[in-house]
Amino acid sequence: MYIMDYHHHTNHSFDSKAVMNEVCTEAIHRNINEICFTEHYSLNPLAPTYGHINLKHYIKDIEQCRAQFEGKLVIKAGIEICEPHLLKSEYQKVLEPLQLDFILGSVHNINDKKLRLYLQHKTVEEVYGGYFEELYNLVKHADIDVLAHIDLMKRYAIKVHGNYDFDQFKPQLKDILTKAIERNIGIEINTSGMRSSLAEPLPSQAVLKLYKELGGELLTVGSDSHKVETVGDHISEAIALAKECGFRYVFTYDKRQPSAISI
Ligand SMILES: [Zn+2]
Ligand SMILES: [Zn+2]
């Protein structure tokens, strides 16, 4: 089976110390065929990510790893943008010349507040509902390839509010997924939740099934790992889950063009 990890961070992200060529070495050791690095990026000075990455150094690092691991590992250059629906033209100006392979879009902040802070002193409806509303705005406007970790809010809200009730938020999720399909934006199975106490992927199986029911096809798999030792974690399980939900392909990207890989 062709194994890919389409969500990985290194020390080009503010919250990772992983060295890129060490991640690549470990990926090969774990029989991963393809990796796409997706470093955090924000143009909003109030976002924690702001100002960390040096895009020139990042691309240079990618090129060095491509040369070093040629024939052993396919290496793609991606990015994970915070709130790409805000500052859209600013992002476009910076990113277009880079000819990246893959762009993930994330809601990490709402009204300039980190999700962890946003959820304080709010009801469960406000916490999850507000998050999904922001995600809808993202998918409606942003120029991205794939929507990252759709139900990310549960990672932070679970301790305070518990996990969300799928049926309660199904109408909002349906709107998000329908808009994604309409705009040719994919979703990912993010396995980071499978190595935490959440013990489930982001999004949950119910959301994946809904996406499939609505006609969604574009699906990527990623570990969202920030460490060398967790590259590719639970990816085989994620692919098995995709199959179980009725998907026949997962996708890789090259210069933002998707290619289907049979599963
Ligand atoms: Zn991160
Ligand atoms: Zn990430």
Side-chain angles (χ1 to χ4, degrees):
M1 187 166 45
Y2 193 84
I3 300 286
M4 72 293 272
D5 187 343
Y6 257 64
H7 192 151
H8 205 291
H9 298 271
T10 70
N11 54 19
H12 294 282
S13 294
F14 75 107
D15 56 355
S16 168
K17 291 190 166 62
V19 174
M20 192 183 283
N21 67 21
E22 292 176 14
V23 174
C24 293
T25 302
E26 182 63 16
I28 294 164
H29 183 69
R30 290 180 161 218
N31 295 317
I32 293 164
N33 303 89
E34 179 165 339
I35 188 163
C36 182
F37 291 101
T38 51
E39 310 296 351
H40 289 298
Y41 187 55
S42 178
L43 284 172
N44 176 358
L46 298 173
T49 311
Y50 181 80
H52 182 86
I53 197 168
N54 178 319
L55 291 164
K56 265 195 197 135
H57 292 178
Y58 172 49
I59 298 299
K60 200 172 151 205
D61 214 2
I62 292 263
E63 280 164 2
Q64 273 171 358
C65 284
R66 278 182 182 150
Q68 188 179 345
F69 300 102
E70 204 187 339
K72 294 185 184 135
L73 182 68
V74 177
I75 301 168
K76 296 288 174 63
I79 205 135
E80 177 180 6
I81 311 180
C82 294
E83 296 82 55
H85 53 305
L86 311 172
L87 307 170
K88 188 180 166 185
S89 60
E90 285 88 343
Y91 280 120
Q92 223 150 17
K93 220 180 286 168
V94 180
L95 297 178
E96 227 160 53
L98 298 179
Q99 301 244 316
L100 294 170
D101 291 306
F102 183 60
I103 300 181
L104 277 176
S106 300
V107 169
H108 286 136
N109 311 279
I110 302 175
N111 302 332
D112 295 325
K113 275 198 183 117
K114 291 198 277 185
L115 297 186
R116 214 186 289 277
L117 295 177
Y118 172 82
L119 63 77
Q120 288 174 359
H121 315 295
K122 287 193 174 64
T123 64
V124 71
E125 288 78 18
E126 288 168 339
V127 166
Y128 284 109
Y131 168 75
F132 288 132
E133 198 179 307
E134 193 67 25
L135 203 60
Y136 180 77
N137 289 333
L138 188 161
V139 81
K140 190 174 173 193
H141 298 290
D143 176 20
I144 58 165
D145 300 310
V146 163
L147 204 49
H149 38 54
I150 287 187
D151 55 10
L152 176 68
M153 182 53 98
K154 69 187 177 189
R155 185 190 285 168
Y156 307 106
I158 196 144
K159 281 194 190 124
V160 191
H161 295 289
N163 209 335
Y164 67 100
D165 173 30
F166 172 75
D167 289 319
Q168 185 184 350
F169 295 98
K170 191 175 173 184
Q172 274 186 292
L173 285 160
K174 205 172 161 182
D175 287 347
I176 292 165
L177 295 170
T178 303
K179 185 55 78 180
I181 294 163
E182 185 189 305
R183 298 195 63 225
N184 232 6
I185 291 171
I187 70 167
E188 68 165 359
I189 303 181
N190 182 306
T191 66
S192 63
M194 295 158 92
R195 32 171 216 278
S196 78
S197 53
L198 259 182
E200 63 173 40
L202 297 81
S204 66
Q205 184 166 2
V207 179
L208 292 169
K209 282 190 172 159
L210 177 61
Y211 179 58
K212 180 71 193 156
E213 257 173 53
L214 294 168
E217 286 290 337
L218 289 173
L219 187 66
T220 60
V221 287
S223 66
D224 203 352
S225 165
H226 291 62
K227 290 179 180 163
V228 171
E229 58 269 27
T230 47
V231 58
D233 254 16
H234 300 285
I235 291 294
S236 309
E237 283 158 74
I239 292 173
L241 175 63
K243 268 190 192 172
E244 208 183 304
C245 295
F247 294 94
R248 292 166 54 219
Y249 309 99
V250 292
F251 287 78
T252 59
Y253 283 74
D254 192 71
K255 302 271 187 283
R256 306 196 59 196
Q257 291 305 310
S259 303
I261 308 281
S262 293
I263 56 173

